[in-house]
Amino acid sequence: MLRIVMYGPDPAENHRLQELLADILWDAQIKPVFKEFTGEREPFFAYVKNNPYLVMLIVQSGPAGMETVQLAKQANSAARLVWFSQQDYALYAFDLRLTFFGLLPVSRSKAASALRACWYEREFPPGISSLSQITLSPQQRISVMGNKKTPSTGVIQA
């Protein structure tokens, strides 16, 4: 079972996306459970607050979408957050460490990519929210070949 909580001002777009996601999830034999919010954002924030076992899906563009995503992230930083917008806010989404960002209109491949990102994010050990927090063992260390920085001068040498 996958719980998806949606927020978006356009009920028709929300319904289309919900049908698309449900179709993908049922094909993968995963039961989707949807909760949809339109209009006021406060009930959405109250519902998702401190509940890490869900996916937050925001379908909203422009500065209002940016604000909604930021407030949703503050309300529940542990949950997976997917954002679809008409404008390209990919750098902002990366800065907030969102699970997935995509441009509208949502195609089947974009929806599948968003769900895949949510699934793989769940595979991290508890307390790990990104690959940058994983400590590699000595056998797995990545060594940089080529340039080295000298400690005394700070100059890069070949």
Side-chain angles (χ1 to χ4, degrees), residues 4-158:
I4 300 174
V5 182
M6 299 177 65
Y7 175 81
D10 183 6
E13 180 67 29
N14 293 350
H15 182 70
R16 191 183 75 74
L17 183 55
Q18 184 174 337
E19 286 182 343
L20 189 60
L21 292 171
D23 185 45
I24 293 168
L25 289 168
W26 282 113
D27 286 348
Q29 299 180 349
I30 299 171
K31 180 185 176 193
V33 177
F34 292 94
K35 177 77 173 166
E36 181 181 344
F37 292 89
T38 58
E40 293 295 319
R41 297 181 297 185
E42 286 71 25
F44 170 73
F45 299 138
Y47 188 85
V48 300
K49 188 174 179 99
N50 299 326
N51 187 350
Y53 304 107
L54 51 84
V55 173
M56 292 185 285
L57 176 63
I58 297 173
V59 184
Q60 188 176 24
S61 299
M66 287 176 58
E67 184 181 18
T68 302
V69 167
Q70 183 179 21
L71 293 172
K73 188 72 172 175
Q74 288 174 0
N76 190 347
S77 62
R80 292 147 299 177
L81 202 156
V82 174
W83 179 24
F84 288 105
S85 172
Q86 289 179 340
Q87 291 86 18
D88 190 354
Y89 290 115
L91 290 176
Y92 183 71
F94 179 79
D95 188 44
L96 287 176
R97 296 179 181 232
L98 301 186
T99 305
F100 186 86
F101 172 81
L103 292 172
L104 291 172
V106 180
S107 64
R108 184 175 176 88
S109 65
K110 286 181 193 176
S113 294
L115 290 172
R116 218 173 294 116
C118 291
W119 180 256
Y120 288 123
E121 187 169 296
R122 292 184 69 197
E123 299 299 316
F124 290 127
I128 303 293
S129 61
S130 73
L131 288 175
S132 63
Q133 294 177 328
I134 296 176
T135 306
L136 299 173
S137 67
Q139 298 89 341
Q140 297 172 315
R141 294 241 184 251
I142 300 170
S143 60
V144 179
M145 303 297 286
N147 298 337
K148 293 183 182 177
K149 193 177 220 182
T150 58
S152 59
T153 62
V155 176
I156 297 176
Q157 296 178 334

